[in-house]
Amino acid sequence: MYDPISTRYTFPCPVHGEARVRLHDFRELDRLPGAAHPAVFRVRYACSCGDDHLGLVAHDDLDWAPLGLQAGMFLNLMTDRLEPVQDEFGDLAARRIGAGEWPWSFFCYPEERPRPVFPSMFWLLAPGTAAGSIGLAVRCPACLRLSINIVSAEHVDVPFHNDAAVGVVEHVFAGDALNTIEEFESELYSASFDARRLKLH
Ligand SMILES: [Zn+2]
Ligand SMILES: [Zn+2]
């Protein structure tokens, strides 16, 4: 499902049979009601065939697999043995989080502060106006309000890669604003952005 080496998810594609997509290719994440252990998300993703498709991702695959906490084997060049990726990546992730580094972060505009976050709190993603940038609508895990940040693709795809500064849409959204992708995209293309530093500590 998720490969931590290539940082890609594998999904079905009706044209190519299989699509390998990164987190920044996700367009919309929807937590399905019902399933709780683990929670399951319906994901719409932009496929290399040119269409968007729907797929299902378990909560673990969204938030923990990119940290290597659920993965296969890798060749350890020190011991020349195949070893579980989980040990190597998992320990490292645990140490970095323990040291105050966060795998993902965003700038919460209503609170005017950076916050740690996990991909399961991402809601909508779309290419930003600047080349290679990604517009990201995030529901804040602390205040539950919505912010739109403009980030790099790596900021989304690569755990512990946090942009030094991100673009922030200066708008406090009402509870149910942004009902549609179209509203999100028009916000993304028309809004004024301000740069905010993303230093968590
Ligand atoms: Zn496809
Ligand atoms: Zn917040």
Side-chain angles (χ1 to χ4, degrees):
M1 181 67 192
Y2 181 85
D3 173 16
I5 307 294
S6 65
T7 65
R8 280 180 166 83
Y9 289 86
T10 306
F11 285 113
C13 163
V15 179
H16 296 131
E18 191 178 273
R20 289 164 58 71
V21 303
R22 295 190 141 157
L23 207 47
H24 81 257
D25 297 315
F26 286 15
R27 289 293 170 263
E28 187 174 11
L29 289 85
D30 239 339
R31 188 184 170 138
L32 295 180
H37 300 291
V40 174
F41 291 75
R42 189 182 55 211
V43 168
R44 192 166 61 78
Y45 54 94
C47 181
S48 59
C49 76
D51 272 338
D52 287 2
H53 312 304
L54 293 174
L56 296 178
V57 190
H59 180 255
D60 290 358
D61 274 326
L62 269 181
D63 288 357
W64 303 119
L67 301 177
L69 297 175
Q70 237 188 20
M73 309 291 282
F74 79 111
L75 178 64
N76 184 332
L77 296 174
M78 300 298 289
T79 62
D80 208 17
R81 282 208 319 249
L82 279 174
E83 295 177 359
V85 169
Q86 186 163 337
D87 295 350
E88 192 79 1
F89 282 60
D91 280 1
L92 186 60
R95 273 204 302 277
R96 296 180 77 169
I97 292 171
E101 274 189 82
W102 279 87
W104 293 275
S105 61
F106 77 108
F107 194 91
C108 177
Y109 180 69
E111 294 187 281
E112 269 293 335
R113 56 166 295 177
R115 285 277 188 196
V117 73
F118 277 99
S120 57
M121 303 302 280
F122 296 169
W123 179 29
L124 301 168
L125 297 92
T129 43
S133 72
I134 302 292
L136 176 64
V138 187
R139 181 80 61 189
C140 178
C143 72
L144 302 180
R145 285 176 293 180
L146 200 63
S147 292
I148 297 181
N149 284 186
I150 311 297
V151 301
S152 69
E154 292 74 27
H155 180 87
V156 173
D157 293 336
V158 183
F160 298 105
H161 175 109
N162 292 289
D163 291 348
V166 300
V168 177
V169 172
E170 300 187 283
H171 188 122
V172 176
F173 296 94
D176 268 351
L178 296 187
N179 283 314
T180 63
I181 308 290
E182 289 71 30
E183 282 174 37
F184 169 59
E185 287 180 340
S186 76
E187 192 69 45
L188 209 52
Y189 287 92
S190 68
S192 67
F193 302 109
D194 204 31
R196 294 287 199 284
R197 286 175 55 75
L198 254 196
K199 199 89 183 112
L200 283 168
H201 54 92

